[in-house]
Amino acid sequence: MIPLPPDHLSVTQLAKRWHIHPNTLLRWRKEDQGPEAIRIGQRILYPLDGVIAYETKHRITPNV
């Protein structure tokens, strides 16, 4: 298998990062939700800069 580019995450890696099931990412892709994903061959990859942007946009700040 071709190695993963260092600036991209696989479905498994992103699911582990966010503590969610990989099927959640699949569902989000079908519903046009979640971070931007790209398909290379049969692999779904998430550009790391897009993941970080999504995390930043959806950050919840506590009410102080």
Side-chain angles (χ1 to χ4, degrees):
M1 183 179 283
I2 298 172
L4 198 64
D7 57 345
H8 289 71
L9 297 175
S10 69
V11 171
T12 303
Q13 289 171 324
L14 183 56
K16 286 180 181 178
R17 178 182 177 114
W18 287 353
H19 306 284
I20 61 174
H21 196 279
N23 286 346
T24 301
L25 294 170
L26 171 65
R27 180 172 45 84
W28 286 353
R29 283 195 311 277
K30 289 180 178 180
E31 296 172 354
D32 281 332
Q33 297 180 12
E36 177 183 309
I38 59 172
R39 179 182 297 274
I40 298 178
Q42 294 184 355
R43 295 174 81 177
I44 301 294
L45 300 176
Y46 292 90
L48 188 54
D49 59 348
V51 170
I52 292 169
Y54 185 86
E55 290 170 345
T56 301
K57 182 178 178 183
H58 291 86
R59 180 174 292 145
I60 298 173
T61 55
N63 294 331
V64 184

